[in-house]
């Protein structure tokens, strides 16, 4: 199936985890994917791993916290392809601590990537998409952004904030033909979970009605659907993909 044939799609944080699975899925659906992440070596390795898929995957170094870095990539993509159809605001980090222990640096670092980074990237593509009269912006939220989580004051605030972005931008950009949605994953087996103790992960698995963690590909499938024309009437939504964790 090639639901994203020739669509120009930027994925941030694409070198591993959910971002890499999303870049691969989009390329499998025929997209022209701009796989972006912090380090050149990680980007190169990820792009090499996408060889043989029907679409094209090109790598770019991009730090979402740096507006010049975001603008440079957007300008390059426009110069090369002349359009941007999809932005997946996937890059995200955790720096956990209980409220009483959280440093200002931990707070600021997570806000900078997960919230300000999403703002930078969306703002950088918004004019292009409005001019085209079409486009899709997809934001990475989390069940933690809906229900909170012990030790994640900073992260929960950003993931709740991303829902605020999504609803606001869906109102602002919807009339211009641009859809904006969020995906709220449950607990997905990626490197971001490597800082969690094994016991906590086992407890999480027990809490999920499907009795397992999610796979990055299962989130990538949700992004691919929302990015495609099959989701043409979905705007301002937060799609939870959590194995039923929160029911
Ligand atoms: P991950 O840590 O495996 O990958 C994140 C990627 O983002 C990395 O490649 C990293 O280099 C990149 N990144 C970090 N800071 C960046 C920056 N400043 N600029 C550009 N790239 C940057 O994470 P993941 O588990 O694949 O998560 C991806 C997204 O999904 C994140 O936003 C995360 O919050 C969200 N999410 C993950 C889970 C989960 O259980 N894994 C659950 C809910 C939401």
């Amino acid at each position: 199936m090639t639901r994203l044939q020739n669509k120009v799609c930027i994925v941030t944080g694409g070198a591993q985890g959910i971002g890499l699975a999303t870049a691969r899925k989009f390329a499998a659906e025929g997209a022209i994917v701009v796989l972006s992440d912090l380090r050149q070596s990680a980007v190169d390795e990820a792009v090499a791993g996408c060889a043989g898929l029907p679409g094209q995957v090109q790598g770019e170094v991009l730090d979402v916290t740096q507006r010049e870095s975001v603008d440079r990539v957007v300008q390059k993509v426009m110069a090369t392809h002349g359009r941007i159809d999809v932005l997946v605001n996937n890059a995200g980090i955790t720096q956990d601590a209980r409220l009483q222990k959280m440093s200002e640096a931990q707070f600021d670092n997570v806000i900078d990537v997960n919230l300000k980074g999403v703002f930078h990237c969306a703002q950088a593509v918004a004019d292009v998409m409005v001019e085209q009269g079409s486009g899709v912006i997809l934001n990475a939220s989390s069940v933690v952004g809906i229900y909170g989580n012990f030790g994640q004051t900073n992260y929960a605030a950003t993931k709740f904030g991303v829902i605020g972005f999504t609803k606001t931008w869906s109102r602002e950009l919807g009339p211009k033909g641009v859809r904006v949605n969020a995906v709220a994953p449950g607990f997905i087996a990626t490197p971001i979970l490597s800082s969690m103790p094994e016991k906590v992960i086992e407890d999480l698995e027990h809490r999920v009605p499907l009795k397992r963690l999610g796979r990055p590909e299962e989130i990538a499938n949700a992004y691919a659907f929302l990015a495609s024309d099959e989701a043409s009437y979905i705007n301002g939504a937060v799609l939870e993909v959590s194995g039923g964790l929160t029911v």
Side-chain angles (χ1 to χ4, degrees), residues 66-197:
Q66 304 300 315
R67 184 56 193 254
E68 324 76 71
S69 169
V70 174
D71 286 342
R72 186 190 57 78
V73 170
V74 166
Q75 279 159 16
K76 191 169 167 192
V77 173
M78 287 304 289
T80 313
H81 302 293
R83 56 186 299 109
I84 298 171
D85 296 298
V86 180
L87 165 68
V88 184
N89 270 315
N90 166 77
I93 60 169
T94 56
Q95 290 191 7
D96 296 353
R98 285 189 293 120
L99 172 62
Q100 292 150 284
K101 300 273 185 194
M102 186 169 286
S103 68
E104 189 172 353
Q106 285 175 313
F107 184 81
D108 288 346
N109 292 341
V110 172
I111 299 287
D112 264 3
V113 178
N114 297 12
L115 205 54
K116 202 164 178 193
V118 173
F119 166 73
H120 282 318
C121 294
Q123 198 178 47
V125 302
D127 284 348
V128 171
M129 289 182 174
V130 166
E131 177 86 3
Q132 289 168 182
S134 70
V136 179
I137 298 175
L138 300 174
N139 296 325
S141 183
S142 166
V143 290
V144 168
I146 305 172
Y147 302 98
N149 200 22
F150 189 97
Q152 293 197 312
T153 291
N154 47 6
Y155 185 79
T158 62
K159 295 303 177 180
F160 193 77
V162 155
I163 293 174
F165 284 165
T166 302
K167 292 184 187 285
T168 299
W169 299 341
S170 66
R171 286 174 185 263
E172 290 183 0
L173 303 178
K176 316 282 185 191
V178 179
R179 295 188 293 106
V180 186
N181 292 294
V183 172
F187 293 97
I188 312 301
T190 74
I192 213 172
L193 292 191
S194 59
S195 61
M196 279 196 186

Side-chain angles (χ1 to χ4, degrees), residues 19-68:
L20 177 56
T22 301
R24 290 182 57 83
K25 175 67 180 172
F26 281 23
E29 296 277 4
I32 299 164
V33 182
V34 180
L35 184 162
S36 65
D37 210 301
L38 286 175
R39 286 185 304 113
Q40 185 74 58
S41 56
V43 168
D44 291 346
E45 200 179 315
V47 170
C50 296
L53 293 167
Q56 293 173 37
V57 182
Q58 76 184 58
E60 292 292 341
V61 171
L62 186 160
D63 180 345
V64 297
T65 66
Q66 304 300 315
R67 184 56 193 254
E68 324 76 71

Side-chain angles (χ1 to χ4, degrees), residues 187 203-213 242-245:
F187 293 97
D203 288 348
L204 285 174
E205 285 175 333
H206 283 301
R207 274 171 48 202
V208 182
L210 293 184
K211 297 295 170 203
R212 62 173 176 84
L213 298 183
S242 71
L245 177 66

